[in-house]
Amino acid sequence: MKTVVSSQNYGEISYSESMWTGSKEIKIGGQKLTKLSRNNFSYTTPDGQTVPVTVTGSFLYGCKLNIGGETITVYDKIKWYEIIFLIVIIAVPLIWGNVPALVAIFPVVGGAIGALISVLLAFAGLIGMRSTNNIGAKIGIFIGVFIANVVILFGVAMLLLTLAASLV
């Protein structure tokens, strides 16, 4: 994920982080910073001074840069409503899939299979929600992921029921 923020002292700061490996790249004013370790970088100012840059956090949980004592927020911390959305995406289908009376009305797979599918989709939803600052888009992503989760869990349940019926 890549973002650009502005600082009064340092100008335009470009931050990119690989979702899969966690590797980070930072540019200040178009100049790529020298990577010292996983979260430590070195910035050489236009007047030749070397300034340490430390990254705390990540794209998913909130990220800040400490540049020579100044803290710059790159990504805000995860919001409370995003956590609620994730819990709903995971919990509602799992509870529904483990209550026989509800499964008789609308079958969805629960248990380990349902949990795995729900967690993977919730993670994808979190990535989508963290990629935008628009609350309407976040709600739309939540609704889309929730519906996709229920449809997939229904499809898996129907597949398992069909397989079970063919074995009898």
Side-chain angles (χ1 to χ4, degrees), residues 124-161:
L126 176 63
I127 291 169
M129 287 187 281
R130 298 292 290 157
S131 298
T132 183
N133 289 327
N134 184 330
I135 186 71
K138 289 179 188 242
I139 293 170
I141 290 167
F142 158 68
I143 292 169
V145 170
F146 182 81
I147 290 171
N149 189 30
V150 170
V151 168
I152 291 169
L153 294 177
F154 173 76
V156 172
M158 294 308 293
L159 177 67
L160 293 175
L161 290 172

Side-chain angles (χ1 to χ4, degrees), residues 29-125:
Q31 174 191 344
K32 184 177 176 182
L33 274 59
T34 305
K35 189 172 190 171
L36 303 174
S37 66
R38 182 173 171 86
N39 292 321
N40 294 308
F41 294 81
S42 176
Y43 168 58
T44 304
T45 63
D47 60 358
Q49 291 182 327
T50 301
V51 179
V53 178
T54 304
V55 179
T56 55
S58 69
F59 164 73
L60 288 177
Y61 304 110
C63 180
K64 294 183 180 186
L65 301 178
N66 186 325
I67 305 174
E70 179 184 349
T71 302
I72 299 167
T73 301
V74 178
Y75 291 108
D76 289 328
K77 291 181 180 179
I78 189 167
K79 304 279 193 282
W80 64 269
Y81 54 84
E82 292 172 333
I83 294 170
I84 299 295
F85 290 165
L86 296 176
I87 291 169
V88 169
I89 289 170
I90 295 168
V92 170
L94 287 180
I95 292 169
W96 188 283
N98 288 306
V99 177
L102 295 175
V103 172
I105 298 169
F106 185 83
V108 294
V109 68
I113 296 170
L116 177 65
I117 293 168
S118 295
V119 167
L120 290 175
L121 285 172
F123 183 72

